[in-house]
Amino acid sequence: SCLCGSAPCLLCGCCPSAKNSTISRLLFTFFLFLGTLVSIIMIIPGVEKELHKLPGFCEGSGSVLGVQTNVDCSSFLGHKAVYRMGFAMAAFFCLFAALMVCVRSSKDPRAALQNGFWFFKFLVLVGITVGAFYIPDGAFTSVWFYFGVVGSFLFILIQLVLLIDFAHSWSQRWLRNADEGSAKGWYAALCTITFIFYAASIAAIVLLYIYYTKPEGCTEGKAFISINLILCLIVSVVSILPKIQEAQPHSGLLQASLITLYTIYVTWAALANVPSKSHTPRVWRGKGGAGALTAVGVCPSVSLGLTPLRSSDHPQVNKLMLTEESGAGAGPGGAEEEGGVRRAYDNEQDGVSYNYTFFHLCLLLAALYIMMTLTNWYRPDESLQVLRSPWTAVWVKICSSWAGLLLYLWTLVAPLLLPDRDFS
């Protein structure tokens, strides 16, 4: 029954008060983690060499990017494997996104497919993965690279919305606690965290100027770092202007410091993908650099793949993300009693707690972002002998950092520009 039944039966012993909606999202996200783990294993040098033994995996590699040539596919076997795994995960979540369109409650027969049949879902994922490894090269790598770029950019935008919402919620909660309890303690915590974020940002900016610029040349690096530094200063100053404080009493430097730190991180990730080797520190070149970026980049990527699980304190964000508000979705009666043991229960009989299709689309975009991060946004060059990062990767990351700053700036000035709307 646990192989074909509802999601909570898998965990009813150790998680007795679980809801269908929560456990189903956790298990689907576990599939994302599982695919990510397999992808990481495939780019380990020892495992990468063993991929030669897969039947047909290296056959047809001479037609990569549509060019017929004799090429040793060992130069990008791990890259090729991660792209296939990313395609499999994206196809799996795309399939469920299409199947779950317009599901309104658990009374819909398709809801049982969302919340159950986990063993068969695993078999479907395995089947798609095996099939993906038999996709002929042709132009697959080149075309799928651009699918990954577009999907990654959209996922970064979702990250930015939730990061900004998290920053505002964090500040509001601590200020509320300061009003209700020990004001000195909470204000000291606010100042300490803000100082740490700004100190880390300043240190990172100094390191970027040292390692990614030179007195002569490196114009792009100097421009990107300087522009983002100026923009971060602007949003920090705007956040504490008297008119902004009057319209939004909870606005402050804590949110600005967090957005600044994230912006500097994205700037570093963009500069690490600049194609010119002369402008990239030797420590970040080649697979060593890719591994370092992977270690830093995959952790926030996978954790933010859980974004559809989170409910915001703000109804506007819940409406945008199509998730439940705090306390919403609880079915009548709560957990059912079976033999004196509190069992998991269906809390979506009157309406779903989250949009099934949007949830799967978020995981699809997360899979594409993880795929691009693990490959360090690289693709084979024209000679098909070396993996290089194109300028596309740089501009996607830089534009996403600008989009994040503009979104945060809009949350500050919107109450002044639209006084008739309620932004409480």
PDB file of all heavy atoms in Angstrom, residues 159-192:
ATOM      1  N   GLN A 159      14.223  32.981  -7.112  1.00  0.00           N
ATOM      2  CA  GLN A 159      15.074  33.106  -5.924  1.00  0.00           C
ATOM      3  C   GLN A 159      15.073  34.535  -5.403  1.00  0.00           C
ATOM      4  O   GLN A 159      14.974  34.772  -4.193  1.00  0.00           O
ATOM      5  CB  GLN A 159      16.514  32.709  -6.263  1.00  0.00           C
ATOM      6  CG  GLN A 159      16.748  31.236  -6.485  1.00  0.00           C
ATOM      7  CD  GLN A 159      18.208  30.931  -6.758  1.00  0.00           C
ATOM      8  OE1 GLN A 159      19.057  31.812  -6.688  1.00  0.00           O
ATOM      9  NE2 GLN A 159      18.503  29.698  -7.086  1.00  0.00           N
ATOM     10  N   LEU A 160      15.183  35.491  -6.337  1.00  0.00           N
ATOM     11  CA  LEU A 160      15.275  36.890  -5.940  1.00  0.00           C
ATOM     12  C   LEU A 160      13.999  37.364  -5.256  1.00  0.00           C
ATOM     13  O   LEU A 160      14.048  38.075  -4.248  1.00  0.00           O
ATOM     14  CB  LEU A 160      15.575  37.757  -7.165  1.00  0.00           C
ATOM     15  CG  LEU A 160      16.975  37.582  -7.774  1.00  0.00           C
ATOM     16  CD1 LEU A 160      17.058  38.286  -9.116  1.00  0.00           C
ATOM     17  CD2 LEU A 160      18.035  38.118  -6.829  1.00  0.00           C
ATOM     18  N   VAL A 161      12.850  36.968  -5.803  1.00  0.00           N
ATOM     19  CA  VAL A 161      11.579  37.359  -5.187  1.00  0.00           C
ATOM     20  C   VAL A 161      11.496  36.839  -3.755  1.00  0.00           C
ATOM     21  O   VAL A 161      11.142  37.575  -2.822  1.00  0.00           O
ATOM     22  CB  VAL A 161      10.393  36.833  -6.025  1.00  0.00           C
ATOM     23  CG1 VAL A 161       9.077  37.041  -5.282  1.00  0.00           C
ATOM     24  CG2 VAL A 161      10.340  37.544  -7.371  1.00  0.00           C
ATOM     25  N   LEU A 162      11.845  35.573  -3.569  1.00  0.00           N
ATOM     26  CA  LEU A 162      11.756  34.983  -2.238  1.00  0.00           C
ATOM     27  C   LEU A 162      12.842  35.490  -1.306  1.00  0.00           C
ATOM     28  O   LEU A 162      12.627  35.590  -0.097  1.00  0.00           O
ATOM     29  CB  LEU A 162      11.826  33.459  -2.352  1.00  0.00           C
ATOM     30  CG  LEU A 162      10.589  32.844  -3.007  1.00  0.00           C
ATOM     31  CD1 LEU A 162      10.801  31.376  -3.294  1.00  0.00           C
ATOM     32  CD2 LEU A 162       9.351  33.032  -2.144  1.00  0.00           C
ATOM     33  N   LEU A 163      14.019  35.817  -1.861  1.00  0.00           N
ATOM     34  CA  LEU A 163      15.075  36.382  -1.024  1.00  0.00           C
ATOM     35  C   LEU A 163      14.663  37.754  -0.494  1.00  0.00           C
ATOM     36  O   LEU A 163      14.857  38.073   0.688  1.00  0.00           O
ATOM     37  CB  LEU A 163      16.375  36.487  -1.822  1.00  0.00           C
ATOM     38  CG  LEU A 163      17.577  37.068  -1.065  1.00  0.00           C
ATOM     39  CD1 LEU A 163      18.010  36.110   0.050  1.00  0.00           C
ATOM     40  CD2 LEU A 163      18.738  37.338  -2.011  1.00  0.00           C
ATOM     41  N   ILE A 164      14.085  38.574  -1.369  1.00  0.00           N
ATOM     42  CA  ILE A 164      13.626  39.900  -0.944  1.00  0.00           C
ATOM     43  C   ILE A 164      12.507  39.773   0.080  1.00  0.00           C
ATOM     44  O   ILE A 164      12.480  40.484   1.104  1.00  0.00           O
ATOM     45  CB  ILE A 164      13.165  40.713  -2.167  1.00  0.00           C
ATOM     46  CG1 ILE A 164      14.363  41.018  -3.070  1.00  0.00           C
ATOM     47  CG2 ILE A 164      12.489  42.009  -1.740  1.00  0.00           C
ATOM     48  CD1 ILE A 164      13.989  41.600  -4.421  1.00  0.00           C
ATOM     49  N   ASP A 165      11.578  38.851  -0.162  1.00  0.00           N
ATOM     50  CA  ASP A 165      10.493  38.628   0.798  1.00  0.00           C
ATOM     51  C   ASP A 165      11.046  38.154   2.137  1.00  0.00           C
ATOM     52  O   ASP A 165      10.611  38.596   3.203  1.00  0.00           O
ATOM     53  CB  ASP A 165       9.520  37.599   0.229  1.00  0.00           C
ATOM     54  CG  ASP A 165       8.513  37.135   1.256  1.00  0.00           C
ATOM     55  OD1 ASP A 165       7.725  37.979   1.725  1.00  0.00           O
ATOM     56  OD2 ASP A 165       8.520  35.947   1.609  1.00  0.00           O
ATOM     57  N   PHE A 166      12.034  37.250   2.085  1.00  0.00           N
ATOM     58  CA  PHE A 166      12.651  36.754   3.315  1.00  0.00           C
ATOM     59  C   PHE A 166      13.336  37.885   4.077  1.00  0.00           C
ATOM     60  O   PHE A 166      13.236  37.974   5.310  1.00  0.00           O
ATOM     61  CB  PHE A 166      13.665  35.659   2.969  1.00  0.00           C
ATOM     62  CG  PHE A 166      14.530  35.242   4.129  1.00  0.00           C
ATOM     63  CD1 PHE A 166      14.029  34.471   5.157  1.00  0.00           C
ATOM     64  CD2 PHE A 166      15.857  35.639   4.182  1.00  0.00           C
ATOM     65  CE1 PHE A 166      14.829  34.090   6.222  1.00  0.00           C
ATOM     66  CE2 PHE A 166      16.669  35.264   5.246  1.00  0.00           C
ATOM     67  CZ  PHE A 166      16.148  34.491   6.270  1.00  0.00           C
ATOM     68  N   ALA A 167      14.029  38.760   3.346  1.00  0.00           N
ATOM     69  CA  ALA A 167      14.726  39.867   4.006  1.00  0.00           C
ATOM     70  C   ALA A 167      13.739  40.791   4.725  1.00  0.00           C
ATOM     71  O   ALA A 167      13.962  41.194   5.871  1.00  0.00           O
ATOM     72  CB  ALA A 167      15.536  40.653   2.969  1.00  0.00           C
ATOM     73  N   HIS A 168      12.642  41.136   4.052  1.00  0.00           N
ATOM     74  CA  HIS A 168      11.630  42.010   4.681  1.00  0.00           C
ATOM     75  C   HIS A 168      10.973  41.307   5.873  1.00  0.00           C
ATOM     76  O   HIS A 168      10.758  41.929   6.921  1.00  0.00           O
ATOM     77  CB  HIS A 168      10.573  42.403   3.651  1.00  0.00           C
ATOM     78  CG  HIS A 168      11.009  43.488   2.710  1.00  0.00           C
ATOM     79  ND1 HIS A 168      11.317  44.768   3.145  1.00  0.00           N
ATOM     80  CD2 HIS A 168      11.194  43.500   1.370  1.00  0.00           C
ATOM     81  CE1 HIS A 168      11.665  45.515   2.103  1.00  0.00           C
ATOM     82  NE2 HIS A 168      11.603  44.770   1.015  1.00  0.00           N
ATOM     83  N   SER A 169      10.651  40.029   5.717  1.00  0.00           N
ATOM     84  CA  SER A 169      10.009  39.292   6.815  1.00  0.00           C
ATOM     85  C   SER A 169      10.932  39.191   8.024  1.00  0.00           C
ATOM     86  O   SER A 169      10.493  39.317   9.165  1.00  0.00           O
ATOM     87  CB  SER A 169       9.610  37.889   6.339  1.00  0.00           C
ATOM     88  OG  SER A 169       8.694  37.949   5.274  1.00  0.00           O
ATOM     89  N   TRP A 170      12.204  38.954   7.761  1.00  0.00           N
ATOM     90  CA  TRP A 170      13.199  38.850   8.836  1.00  0.00           C
ATOM     91  C   TRP A 170      13.273  40.152   9.623  1.00  0.00           C
ATOM     92  O   TRP A 170      13.197  40.157  10.860  1.00  0.00           O
ATOM     93  CB  TRP A 170      14.558  38.514   8.213  1.00  0.00           C
ATOM     94  CG  TRP A 170      15.659  38.250   9.194  1.00  0.00           C
ATOM     95  CD1 TRP A 170      15.579  38.243  10.561  1.00  0.00           C
ATOM     96  CD2 TRP A 170      17.024  37.943   8.877  1.00  0.00           C
ATOM     97  NE1 TRP A 170      16.806  37.962  11.117  1.00  0.00           N
ATOM     98  CE2 TRP A 170      17.704  37.768  10.114  1.00  0.00           C
ATOM     99  CE3 TRP A 170      17.727  37.799   7.689  1.00  0.00           C
ATOM    100  CZ2 TRP A 170      19.061  37.475  10.174  1.00  0.00           C
ATOM    101  CZ3 TRP A 170      19.074  37.491   7.753  1.00  0.00           C
ATOM    102  CH2 TRP A 170      19.727  37.334   8.971  1.00  0.00           C
ATOM    103  N   SER A 171      13.395  41.256   8.928  1.00  0.00           N
ATOM    104  CA  SER A 171      13.486  42.549   9.601  1.00  0.00           C
ATOM    105  C   SER A 171      12.212  42.864  10.383  1.00  0.00           C
ATOM    106  O   SER A 171      12.266  43.314  11.532  1.00  0.00           O
ATOM    107  CB  SER A 171      13.760  43.648   8.572  1.00  0.00           C
ATOM    108  OG  SER A 171      13.803  44.916   9.193  1.00  0.00           O
ATOM    109  N   GLN A 172      11.050  42.626   9.774  1.00  0.00           N
ATOM    110  CA  GLN A 172       9.785  42.919  10.453  1.00  0.00           C
ATOM    111  C   GLN A 172       9.629  42.090  11.714  1.00  0.00           C
ATOM    112  O   GLN A 172       9.172  42.578  12.752  1.00  0.00           O
ATOM    113  CB  GLN A 172       8.625  42.648   9.491  1.00  0.00           C
ATOM    114  CG  GLN A 172       8.532  43.654   8.347  1.00  0.00           C
ATOM    115  CD  GLN A 172       7.412  43.315   7.387  1.00  0.00           C
ATOM    116  OE1 GLN A 172       6.585  42.456   7.683  1.00  0.00           O
ATOM    117  NE2 GLN A 172       7.398  43.972   6.244  1.00  0.00           N
ATOM    118  N   ARG A 173      10.012  40.827  11.640  1.00  0.00           N
ATOM    119  CA  ARG A 173       9.851  39.940  12.798  1.00  0.00           C
ATOM    120  C   ARG A 173      10.735  40.385  13.960  1.00  0.00           C
ATOM    121  O   ARG A 173      10.307  40.404  15.106  1.00  0.00           O
ATOM    122  CB  ARG A 173      10.176  38.505  12.374  1.00  0.00           C
ATOM    123  CG  ARG A 173       9.791  37.460  13.399  1.00  0.00           C
ATOM    124  CD  ARG A 173       9.792  36.088  12.754  1.00  0.00           C
ATOM    125  NE  ARG A 173       8.841  36.009  11.656  1.00  0.00           N
ATOM    126  CZ  ARG A 173       8.903  35.113  10.669  1.00  0.00           C
ATOM    127  NH1 ARG A 173       9.891  34.235  10.649  1.00  0.00           N
ATOM    128  NH2 ARG A 173       7.985  35.090   9.730  1.00  0.00           N
ATOM    129  N   TRP A 174      11.985  40.725  13.653  1.00  0.00           N
ATOM    130  CA  TRP A 174      12.889  41.143  14.718  1.00  0.00           C
ATOM    131  C   TRP A 174      12.486  42.485  15.303  1.00  0.00           C
ATOM    132  O   TRP A 174      12.593  42.696  16.513  1.00  0.00           O
ATOM    133  CB  TRP A 174      14.327  41.180  14.183  1.00  0.00           C
ATOM    134  CG  TRP A 174      14.963  39.813  14.134  1.00  0.00           C
ATOM    135  CD1 TRP A 174      14.306  38.619  14.083  1.00  0.00           C
ATOM    136  CD2 TRP A 174      16.356  39.515  14.148  1.00  0.00           C
ATOM    137  NE1 TRP A 174      15.200  37.585  14.040  1.00  0.00           N
ATOM    138  CE2 TRP A 174      16.471  38.096  14.076  1.00  0.00           C
ATOM    139  CE3 TRP A 174      17.510  40.274  14.185  1.00  0.00           C
ATOM    140  CZ2 TRP A 174      17.701  37.455  14.060  1.00  0.00           C
ATOM    141  CZ3 TRP A 174      18.743  39.624  14.171  1.00  0.00           C
ATOM    142  CH2 TRP A 174      18.840  38.231  14.106  1.00  0.00           C
ATOM    143  N   LEU A 175      12.024  43.400  14.465  1.00  0.00           N
ATOM    144  CA  LEU A 175      11.560  44.689  14.988  1.00  0.00           C
ATOM    145  C   LEU A 175      10.298  44.521  15.826  1.00  0.00           C
ATOM    146  O   LEU A 175      10.105  45.219  16.826  1.00  0.00           O
ATOM    147  CB  LEU A 175      11.313  45.657  13.834  1.00  0.00           C
ATOM    148  CG  LEU A 175      12.572  46.164  13.109  1.00  0.00           C
ATOM    149  CD1 LEU A 175      12.193  47.006  11.907  1.00  0.00           C
ATOM    150  CD2 LEU A 175      13.455  46.974  14.064  1.00  0.00           C
ATOM    151  N   ARG A 176       9.439  43.596  15.431  1.00  0.00           N
ATOM    152  CA  ARG A 176       8.242  43.309  16.211  1.00  0.00           C
ATOM    153  C   ARG A 176       8.620  42.715  17.569  1.00  0.00           C
ATOM    154  O   ARG A 176       8.042  43.066  18.609  1.00  0.00           O
ATOM    155  CB  ARG A 176       7.351  42.343  15.437  1.00  0.00           C
ATOM    156  CG  ARG A 176       5.950  42.176  16.045  1.00  0.00           C
ATOM    157  CD  ARG A 176       5.119  41.172  15.255  1.00  0.00           C
ATOM    158  NE  ARG A 176       5.074  41.528  13.851  1.00  0.00           N
ATOM    159  CZ  ARG A 176       5.505  40.740  12.874  1.00  0.00           C
ATOM    160  NH1 ARG A 176       6.037  39.570  13.170  1.00  0.00           N
ATOM    161  NH2 ARG A 176       5.409  41.121  11.613  1.00  0.00           N
ATOM    162  N   ASN A 177       9.610  41.830  17.553  1.00  0.00           N
ATOM    163  CA  ASN A 177      10.081  41.265  18.823  1.00  0.00           C
ATOM    164  C   ASN A 177      10.712  42.331  19.713  1.00  0.00           C
ATOM    165  O   ASN A 177      10.595  42.278  20.946  1.00  0.00           O
ATOM    166  CB  ASN A 177      11.103  40.165  18.551  1.00  0.00           C
ATOM    167  CG  ASN A 177      10.487  38.936  17.920  1.00  0.00           C
ATOM    168  OD1 ASN A 177       9.270  38.734  17.999  1.00  0.00           O
ATOM    169  ND2 ASN A 177      11.312  38.120  17.269  1.00  0.00           N
ATOM    170  N   ALA A 178      11.380  43.305  19.087  1.00  0.00           N
ATOM    171  CA  ALA A 178      11.981  44.399  19.852  1.00  0.00           C
ATOM    172  C   ALA A 178      10.911  45.242  20.531  1.00  0.00           C
ATOM    173  O   ALA A 178      11.092  45.714  21.667  1.00  0.00           O
ATOM    174  CB  ALA A 178      12.843  45.271  18.945  1.00  0.00           C
ATOM    175  N   ASP A 179       9.790  45.444  19.848  1.00  0.00           N
ATOM    176  CA  ASP A 179       8.694  46.236  20.435  1.00  0.00           C
ATOM    177  C   ASP A 179       8.011  45.485  21.574  1.00  0.00           C
ATOM    178  O   ASP A 179       7.490  46.101  22.505  1.00  0.00           O
ATOM    179  CB  ASP A 179       7.658  46.574  19.352  1.00  0.00           C
ATOM    180  CG  ASP A 179       8.221  47.518  18.302  1.00  0.00           C
ATOM    181  OD1 ASP A 179       9.191  48.244  18.615  1.00  0.00           O
ATOM    182  OD2 ASP A 179       7.702  47.522  17.167  1.00  0.00           O
ATOM    183  N   GLU A 180       8.015  44.141  21.488  1.00  0.00           N
ATOM    184  CA  GLU A 180       7.289  43.361  22.475  1.00  0.00           C
ATOM    185  C   GLU A 180       8.162  42.895  23.644  1.00  0.00           C
ATOM    186  O   GLU A 180       7.638  42.535  24.695  1.00  0.00           O
ATOM    187  CB  GLU A 180       6.662  42.130  21.800  1.00  0.00           C
ATOM    188  CG  GLU A 180       5.620  42.491  20.744  1.00  0.00           C
ATOM    189  CD  GLU A 180       5.139  41.263  19.981  1.00  0.00           C
ATOM    190  OE1 GLU A 180       5.713  40.170  20.232  1.00  0.00           O
ATOM    191  OE2 GLU A 180       4.216  41.396  19.157  1.00  0.00           O
ATOM    192  N   GLY A 181       9.487  42.860  23.466  1.00  0.00           N
ATOM    193  CA  GLY A 181      10.349  42.327  24.502  1.00  0.00           C
ATOM    194  C   GLY A 181      11.555  43.201  24.763  1.00  0.00           C
ATOM    195  O   GLY A 181      11.451  44.437  24.851  1.00  0.00           O
ATOM    196  N   SER A 182      12.719  42.561  24.864  1.00  0.00           N
ATOM    197  CA  SER A 182      13.961  43.271  25.152  1.00  0.00           C
ATOM    198  C   SER A 182      14.439  44.007  23.903  1.00  0.00           C
ATOM    199  O   SER A 182      15.052  43.409  23.011  1.00  0.00           O
ATOM    200  CB  SER A 182      15.030  42.275  25.619  1.00  0.00           C
ATOM    201  OG  SER A 182      16.270  42.928  25.797  1.00  0.00           O
ATOM    202  N   ALA A 183      14.160  45.311  23.864  1.00  0.00           N
ATOM    203  CA  ALA A 183      14.485  46.092  22.667  1.00  0.00           C
ATOM    204  C   ALA A 183      15.990  46.138  22.413  1.00  0.00           C
ATOM    205  O   ALA A 183      16.442  46.007  21.274  1.00  0.00           O
ATOM    206  CB  ALA A 183      13.924  47.507  22.805  1.00  0.00           C
ATOM    207  N   LYS A 184      16.782  46.318  23.471  1.00  0.00           N
ATOM    208  CA  LYS A 184      18.229  46.441  23.296  1.00  0.00           C
ATOM    209  C   LYS A 184      18.828  45.176  22.668  1.00  0.00           C
ATOM    210  O   LYS A 184      19.679  45.249  21.797  1.00  0.00           O
ATOM    211  CB  LYS A 184      18.891  46.736  24.648  1.00  0.00           C
ATOM    212  CG  LYS A 184      18.580  48.119  25.200  1.00  0.00           C
ATOM    213  CD  LYS A 184      19.343  48.358  26.496  1.00  0.00           C
ATOM    214  CE  LYS A 184      19.074  49.765  27.025  1.00  0.00           C
ATOM    215  NZ  LYS A 184      19.807  50.019  28.297  1.00  0.00           N
ATOM    216  N   GLY A 185      18.367  44.031  23.138  1.00  0.00           N
ATOM    217  CA  GLY A 185      18.904  42.774  22.624  1.00  0.00           C
ATOM    218  C   GLY A 185      18.600  42.577  21.142  1.00  0.00           C
ATOM    219  O   GLY A 185      19.475  42.200  20.356  1.00  0.00           O
ATOM    220  N   TRP A 186      17.354  42.841  20.745  1.00  0.00           N
ATOM    221  CA  TRP A 186      16.974  42.644  19.354  1.00  0.00           C
ATOM    222  C   TRP A 186      17.633  43.671  18.444  1.00  0.00           C
ATOM    223  O   TRP A 186      18.061  43.333  17.325  1.00  0.00           O
ATOM    224  CB  TRP A 186      15.455  42.704  19.203  1.00  0.00           C
ATOM    225  CG  TRP A 186      14.766  41.485  19.745  1.00  0.00           C
ATOM    226  CD1 TRP A 186      14.026  41.390  20.879  1.00  0.00           C
ATOM    227  CD2 TRP A 186      14.782  40.175  19.173  1.00  0.00           C
ATOM    228  NE1 TRP A 186      13.571  40.113  21.069  1.00  0.00           N
ATOM    229  CE2 TRP A 186      14.014  39.337  20.024  1.00  0.00           C
ATOM    230  CE3 TRP A 186      15.362  39.627  18.029  1.00  0.00           C
ATOM    231  CZ2 TRP A 186      13.820  37.989  19.756  1.00  0.00           C
ATOM    232  CZ3 TRP A 186      15.169  38.278  17.750  1.00  0.00           C
ATOM    233  CH2 TRP A 186      14.408  37.476  18.608  1.00  0.00           C
ATOM    234  N   TYR A 187      17.719  44.919  18.901  1.00  0.00           N
ATOM    235  CA  TYR A 187      18.394  45.935  18.080  1.00  0.00           C
ATOM    236  C   TYR A 187      19.887  45.632  17.958  1.00  0.00           C
ATOM    237  O   TYR A 187      20.489  45.855  16.901  1.00  0.00           O
ATOM    238  CB  TYR A 187      18.180  47.325  18.677  1.00  0.00           C
ATOM    239  CG  TYR A 187      16.807  47.898  18.407  1.00  0.00           C
ATOM    240  CD1 TYR A 187      15.991  48.341  19.447  1.00  0.00           C
ATOM    241  CD2 TYR A 187      16.332  47.992  17.104  1.00  0.00           C
ATOM    242  CE1 TYR A 187      14.723  48.852  19.204  1.00  0.00           C
ATOM    243  CE2 TYR A 187      15.068  48.505  16.852  1.00  0.00           C
ATOM    244  CZ  TYR A 187      14.263  48.931  17.900  1.00  0.00           C
ATOM    245  OH  TYR A 187      13.015  49.442  17.641  1.00  0.00           O
ATOM    246  N   ALA A 188      20.483  45.093  19.008  1.00  0.00           N
ATOM    247  CA  ALA A 188      21.892  44.708  18.934  1.00  0.00           C
ATOM    248  C   ALA A 188      22.088  43.573  17.934  1.00  0.00           C
ATOM    249  O   ALA A 188      23.062  43.554  17.164  1.00  0.00           O
ATOM    250  CB  ALA A 188      22.393  44.288  20.314  1.00  0.00           C
ATOM    251  N   ALA A 189      21.138  42.626  17.928  1.00  0.00           N
ATOM    252  CA  ALA A 189      21.221  41.522  16.960  1.00  0.00           C
ATOM    253  C   ALA A 189      21.080  42.037  15.539  1.00  0.00           C
ATOM    254  O   ALA A 189      21.809  41.610  14.634  1.00  0.00           O
ATOM    255  CB  ALA A 189      20.137  40.488  17.269  1.00  0.00           C
ATOM    256  N   LEU A 190      20.148  42.981  15.334  1.00  0.00           N
ATOM    257  CA  LEU A 190      19.968  43.575  14.000  1.00  0.00           C
ATOM    258  C   LEU A 190      21.249  44.262  13.535  1.00  0.00           C
ATOM    259  O   LEU A 190      21.696  44.070  12.389  1.00  0.00           O
ATOM    260  CB  LEU A 190      18.817  44.579  14.023  1.00  0.00           C
ATOM    261  CG  LEU A 190      17.402  44.048  13.803  1.00  0.00           C
ATOM    262  CD1 LEU A 190      16.385  45.137  14.084  1.00  0.00           C
ATOM    263  CD2 LEU A 190      17.249  43.538  12.381  1.00  0.00           C
ATOM    264  N   CYS A 191      21.833  45.046  14.412  1.00  0.00           N
ATOM    265  CA  CYS A 191      23.061  45.773  14.053  1.00  0.00           C
ATOM    266  C   CYS A 191      24.218  44.812  13.782  1.00  0.00           C
ATOM    267  O   CYS A 191      24.997  45.015  12.840  1.00  0.00           O
ATOM    268  CB  CYS A 191      23.439  46.742  15.169  1.00  0.00           C
ATOM    269  SG  CYS A 191      22.281  48.112  15.395  1.00  0.00           S
ATOM    270  N   THR A 192      24.301  43.748  14.581  1.00  0.00           N
ATOM    271  CA  THR A 192      25.399  42.792  14.407  1.00  0.00           C
ATOM    272  C   THR A 192      25.297  42.066  13.068  1.00  0.00           C
ATOM    273  O   THR A 192      26.279  41.960  12.322  1.00  0.00           O
ATOM    274  CB  THR A 192      25.396  41.763  15.551  1.00  0.00           C
ATOM    275  OG1 THR A 192      25.535  42.448  16.799  1.00  0.00           O
ATOM    276  CG2 THR A 192      26.526  40.771  15.381  1.00  0.00           C
TER     277      THR A 192
END
